Amino acid sequence: AGLPRRAPALRAVSPPPILAAASLPPVYIPPPMTGQGKIVFLYSGKGGVGKSRIAVNLAVSMAKETRARVALVDLDLQFGDIAMLLNLDAAHGISDLIENIDHLDHDFIRQIMVDGPLGLKLLLAPVKPELAELVMVDHVWRILSELRDMFDYIVVDSNGNLDDINLELIDLAHRIVVVTSGSLPSIKNTKLALKTFDSLAIPPERILLVLNQPEAYSEFNTENVEANLRFPISLVIPNDTKLAVRSANRGEPFATKQPDARISQKIRELVGTIIPEPLKSRARQ
């Protein structure tokens, strides 16, 4: 099916004018967001630690446990894996919203979003890596502003860069879930990220540090990782490589397919840490 189109009167965003050498680049100052939806931002300074897998299972568990309106946004713009992890058709992505970024409304965003399990709605990464360069920080701000009107919770997966987009998300997020592992490179990059958050005056209570799938043979146990990072670990997700790999290969979240597994229980524990009790009670009425 072709890309859904808005009214013909809408026009594509024109390229920015070439600035004179002596002029300063324009500064985008966004207005305050009015929506009440909370942004949960997942970040890892090192790839391969299972961050995207946690994002998927967190989002579906959040939708199941609370019956709230939950969206999952893939902002790993070049190589996002959310569509693959849920076995979804990635015909449209966030870059499809850019053409009419100044005229966004809820109906158009819903046309671009994809239906996931348990009522979850997804805004996927661009279908081609080269389209990632079309997505700018002010575009992301405007899209998230609309999503905060549409959903109670917006779970955002990201890449490992501390670029303008991720720094904006760090500033906007209700909770920042930092995922690390027991490997030395992951610990090193996590420490650097936490120092950056501190320099940005991010309150520590907004950060949840998750140690994912620690290996039994690792030289770094939970206490060693916590001592090295000088930051408390909020949650340890146990190692279940067989279930995690099978879940990813089949596009079936383990949190829903194997709800009694220890890793699924830990994901629900993470949901309970993020979701305020009043919303959980209200959603189940």
Side-chain angles (χ1 to χ4, degrees):
L3 172 65
R5 292 292 182 185
R6 296 293 314 281
L10 301 183
R11 58 183 178 82
V13 176
S14 301
I18 298 175
L19 300 174
S23 65
L24 295 174
V27 176
Y28 178 72
I29 303 177
M33 285 191 175
T34 58
Q36 298 300 308
K38 301 294 192 298
I39 297 171
V40 180
F41 176 56
L42 278 88
Y43 176 81
S44 174
K46 179 76 173 63
V49 299
K51 172 182 56 63
S52 296
R53 194 154 45 211
I54 291 175
V56 166
N57 284 277
L58 174 64
V60 296
S61 294
M62 201 176 279
K64 180 181 180 181
E65 296 297 316
T66 69
R67 300 177 189 172
R69 301 170 299 170
V70 181
L72 175 57
V73 180
D74 193 347
L75 282 181
D76 188 349
L77 295 173
Q78 286 193 311
F79 301 107
D81 290 330
I82 297 299
M84 180 198 68
L85 290 171
L86 285 169
N87 194 25
L88 296 172
D89 178 18
H92 304 304
I94 189 172
S95 58
D96 296 320
L97 296 175
I98 304 306
E99 180 179 353
N100 293 308
I101 194 68
D102 292 324
H103 305 278
L104 288 181
D105 61 29
H106 297 180
D107 289 339
F108 186 53
I109 292 175
R110 287 191 184 97
Q111 291 182 62
I112 300 300
M113 297 186 82
V114 177
D115 293 332
L118 301 173
L120 183 68
K121 301 294 183 182
L122 297 105
L123 184 57
L124 300 175
V127 296
K128 297 178 181 179
E130 59 267 26
L131 296 176
E133 64 182 21
L134 300 177
V135 184
M136 304 298 173
V137 63
D138 59 307
H139 299 152
V140 171
W141 188 95
R142 295 184 190 195
I143 291 166
L144 287 175
S145 182
E146 295 293 331
L147 292 178
R148 287 189 66 190
D149 278 333
M150 300 166 64
F151 297 94
D152 299 307
Y153 284 89
I154 304 102
V155 179
V156 181
D157 193 23
S158 68
N159 58 39
N161 299 325
L162 287 174
D163 54 18
D164 288 345
I165 289 178
N166 280 350
L167 290 174
E168 179 75 8
L169 285 161
I170 289 165
D171 187 53
L172 293 173
H174 175 67
R175 287 287 187 270
I176 303 165
V177 180
V178 178
V179 182
T180 190
S181 73
S183 72
L184 186 58
S186 181
I187 293 171
K188 184 264 293 183
N189 288 3
T190 300
K191 179 182 286 189
L192 292 174
L194 291 172
K195 287 182 177 179
T196 301
F197 298 162
D198 183 61
S199 70
L200 295 172
I202 303 299
E205 58 268 22
R206 287 174 53 199
I207 302 171
L208 298 173
L209 180 60
V210 173
L211 178 60
N212 188 35
Q213 298 183 337
E215 301 287 350
Y217 54 80
S218 174
E219 296 180 10
F220 297 95
N221 58 28
T222 302
E223 292 74 19
N224 289 340
V225 172
E226 197 169 59
N228 194 288
L229 294 177
R230 298 181 181 178
F231 198 93
I233 293 174
S234 300
L235 192 76
V236 178
I237 299 180
N239 187 16
D240 192 338
T241 303
K242 183 177 179 180
L243 176 56
V245 171
R246 183 171 69 243
S247 169
N249 289 342
R250 296 179 179 179
E252 300 173 343
F254 56 75
T256 55
K257 290 298 180 179
Q258 298 286 338
D260 295 329
R262 287 185 63 216
I263 56 174
S264 301
Q265 294 172 12
K266 285 296 182 178
I267 292 294
R268 290 197 298 275
E269 187 177 328
L270 182 58
V271 172
T273 303
I274 294 171
I275 301 285
E277 197 62 35
L279 177 59
K280 294 174 72 174
S281 301
R282 185 169 63 251
R284 292 178 181 181
Q285 293 176 353

